[in-house]
Amino acid sequence: QVRLVESGGGLVQPGGSLRLSCAASGSISRYFMAWYRQAPGKRRELVATIFSDGSTNYAEPIEGRFSISRDNTKNTVSLQMNSLKVDDTAMYFCNTYDGTKSLWGQGTQVTVST
């Protein structure tokens, strides 16, 4: 079973940038990879998805500000987040499906605040 470990979260001011990374313990080349986020008191929501062919989808609130990418040689997926807003504050999770079950990392906290 592939394990996912997120990193790169932190505290940033509005308008700033962060780059999140998700490292997988095994090959992810066949899988779609996704980033979700969950703010306190809110449901977990899909942020961005990248498929095995490199195509991407973004949630409307972040489109144009975030960019998802993957490096199958390193088994990593990244989320470049620009023009961050206070509303982007959340725990961010990496996700994939290995054909049997949905897999999640432990999350990395992103806080956007003055």
Side-chain angles (χ1 to χ4, degrees), residues 38-42 89-91 109:
Q38 186 167 20
K42 295 188 177 181
T89 295
M91 185 73 80
Q109 177 67 39

Side-chain angles (χ1 to χ4, degrees), residues 35-78:
W35 284 97
Y36 283 75
R37 67 185 182 186
Q38 186 167 20
K42 295 188 177 181
R43 300 176 72 172
R44 191 170 295 191
E45 62 177 1
L46 178 63
V47 174
T49 306
I50 186 164
F51 298 92
S52 57
D53 65 357
S55 59
T56 58
N57 279 333
Y58 296 94
E60 192 174 319
I62 61 91
E63 196 157 12
R65 299 189 295 121
F66 293 7
S67 178
I68 188 171
S69 60
R70 65 192 298 160
D71 186 339
N72 291 335
T73 65
K74 297 180 180 179
N75 296 323
T76 57
V77 177
S78 298

Side-chain angles (χ1 to χ4, degrees), residues 10-18 81 84-85 89 110-114:
L11 173 64
V12 63
Q13 292 186 342
S17 298
L18 279 175
M81 305 186 297
L84 282 161
K85 304 176 181 180
T89 295
V110 172
T111 302
V112 185
S113 175
T114 56

Side-chain angles (χ1 to χ4, degrees), residues 16 22 71 97-98:
C22 173
D71 186 339
Y97 181 77
D98 69 358

Side-chain angles (χ1 to χ4, degrees), residues 4 30-34 95-104:
L4 306 174
R30 297 175 296 155
Y31 305 150
F32 76 85
M33 301 296 297
N95 167 260
T96 190
Y97 181 77
D98 69 358
T100 302
K101 64 175 84 69
S102 186
L103 304 175
W104 296 90

